[in-house]
Amino acid sequence: MSGLGVQADVTCSERRFDGLAYTACEVDPRADDLRLFLDAPSGERYGQFSTIDATLAADGKTLVFGMNAGMYHADRAPVGHYVEDGREIMRVIPNAGPGNFGLLPNGIFCIQSDRADVIETLRYDAARPDCRYATQSGPMLVIDGELHPRFLEDSDSRYVRNGVGTSADGTRVVFVISDQAVTFHEFGRIFRDDLGLPQALFLDGSVSRLHAPQLNRSDFGRWLGPIVGVVAPIAP
């Protein structure tokens, strides 16, 4: 349950791991209407959770969870691969590059009809799964149960960060945002060691935002590019 008058299986909670504060939202892709959002019907980028919610309300629906979902350019177009409702908007970017996105291995979050998976980019490019929605970001946080090889335990690079992890069978999806500045090593460990998820993907840092009405939280700030969210009907 995600709020009065709304039916959904999203569960958001505040948690601590290794003395650090996080908020995690768990989604069941078999039951929840998990989607990606980029452009509103007007053709403008949605940019904010409130804009998505206002659009959904016209159809008697609401956004019961939301999070920024990957890096974007100045015009808020996706940096990497992006698929929305079966339509490819941006191709796969397989090569290394500058910044966190190009810190290989990076990965793609793929939403299918009955599961969702974080998949390393080269594996994804070879297999080409039938994703209804997909967003590419980087770096991977956890790959087959191991932290990204470039993460340093003694790093002093700390930011508020957000990401997504998935179970091996694709039926458990957990989105996490740090509620304080953390390193990549610390952030990867909450997915691997606390949540027990074998695959996890960094979505972004410093611009990280969460929409979790059940926690009376809806972050506002810099305008966003891709957004991931769960849609539910508003009960009459």
Side-chain angles (χ1 to χ4, degrees):
M1 180 71 69
S2 297
L4 294 176
V6 175
Q7 295 291 329
D9 291 332
V10 180
T11 302
C12 294
S13 62
E14 297 171 349
R15 63 195 303 132
R16 294 190 70 83
F17 178 68
D18 270 0
L20 299 169
Y22 301 89
T23 300
C25 292
E26 187 156 342
V27 174
D28 182 348
R30 299 165 298 180
D32 294 327
D33 186 357
L34 182 62
R35 308 181 189 178
L36 288 168
F37 300 88
L38 184 63
D39 292 337
S42 65
E44 300 293 322
R45 310 278 191 231
Y46 277 109
Q48 302 287 346
F49 304 125
S50 58
T51 312
I52 297 173
D53 219 17
T55 302
L56 291 171
D59 292 326
K61 297 178 180 178
T62 189
L63 191 69
V64 295
F65 157 78
M67 181 175 276
N68 54 297
M71 297 169 191
Y72 49 93
H73 296 292
D75 64 355
R76 291 183 279 129
V79 170
H81 185 51
Y82 186 83
V83 176
E84 187 170 319
D85 204 15
R87 182 170 68 93
E88 183 179 68
I89 294 173
M90 179 61 188
R91 64 182 178 86
V92 173
I93 304 296
N95 49 293
N100 291 327
F101 181 91
L103 185 62
L104 301 185
N106 61 19
I108 294 169
F109 178 55
C110 166
I111 303 168
Q112 297 179 271
S113 60
D114 59 351
R115 64 181 295 156
D117 298 274
V118 167
I119 307 170
E120 188 273 324
T121 296
L122 297 184
R123 292 182 188 175
Y124 176 97
D125 206 23
R128 285 292 173 158
D130 184 18
C131 308
R132 185 179 176 194
Y133 298 93
T135 183
Q136 184 179 7
S137 192
M140 288 283 285
L141 297 168
V142 184
I143 312 121
D144 298 335
E146 299 293 335
L147 296 182
H148 192 291
R150 297 283 297 277
F151 292 173
L152 301 176
E153 193 168 355
D154 61 353
S155 171
D156 60 2
S157 176
R158 292 180 173 273
Y159 292 93
V160 171
R161 305 181 191 272
N162 70 294
V164 58
T166 57
S167 60
D169 64 2
T171 63
R172 183 178 175 223
V173 182
V174 186
F175 298 89
V176 179
I177 186 170
S178 67
D179 292 325
Q180 63 191 90
V182 297
T183 66
F184 270 131
H185 193 276
E186 290 166 338
F187 196 48
R189 286 194 61 238
I190 190 173
F191 287 98
R192 184 189 68 174
D193 301 338
D194 185 36
L195 296 168
L197 297 169
Q199 314 292 339
L201 178 65
F202 177 64
L203 292 175
D204 215 334
S206 73
V207 300
S208 301
R209 304 282 183 268
L210 173 67
H211 176 74
Q214 63 180 258
L215 299 179
N216 295 314
R217 176 175 175 177
S218 187
D219 302 339
F220 182 85
R222 191 182 308 178
W223 287 76
L224 302 173
I227 294 171
V228 63
V230 171
V231 175
I234 301 172

